[in-house]
Amino acid sequence: HLRALFTARGVDAAVDVGANRGQYYRFLRHHVGFRGPVLSVEPIEALAGDLARRSRFDPHWRVERCALAASGGSASLNVMARPVFSSLRAPDHSASGQFADKNVVVRTE
């Protein structure tokens, strides 16, 4: 479905915000067949470094190590036990405790 949507809308570039380990990039390339430029934004140093190394093999893939927010400036990133939960905000377990053990700060960057 996404392949048809990208074609119908003439999508010629993609932005992957919170790229993590590059799952969306791989999905776009291998399942959607998208060959246009992809910008992956990932604030966690180790993950961004890994993505940057892998991006050397694709001239249409750019990786930026930064976080996106409503305003500019510097902030501390809370890196959680499961990196997919990492955030500029503190963890909030009030809605559900289902992932409470994975949504805990292990360090800040």
Side-chain angles (χ1 to χ4, degrees):
H1 177 72
L2 195 56
R3 181 180 302 170
L5 181 65
F6 273 33
T7 301
R9 295 292 183 188
V11 174
D12 59 2
V15 178
D16 180 9
V17 177
N20 196 258
R21 292 184 170 91
Q23 301 94 314
Y24 188 63
Y25 165 82
R26 286 191 307 275
F27 173 74
L28 288 175
R29 290 291 192 248
H30 301 294
H31 298 285
V32 176
F34 181 70
R35 296 291 167 237
V38 176
L39 170 62
S40 292
V41 177
E42 174 54 51
I44 299 175
E45 183 174 15
L47 295 177
D50 181 55
L51 293 173
R53 283 185 291 281
R54 291 177 27 223
S55 73
R56 293 182 298 198
F57 301 102
D58 182 345
H60 301 291
W61 185 16
R62 180 175 164 188
V63 176
E64 292 292 331
R65 182 181 174 246
C66 64
L68 302 180
S71 59
S74 296
S76 294
L77 175 71
N78 293 311
V79 179
M80 307 303 179
R82 185 161 180 206
V84 71
F85 292 116
S86 297
S87 177
L88 296 173
R89 297 176 181 223
D92 179 1
H93 303 255
S94 63
S96 170
Q98 183 177 3
F99 300 105
D101 60 326
K102 294 170 180 51
N103 191 19
V104 295
V105 179
V106 293
R107 71 178 184 281
T108 57
E109 293 186 6

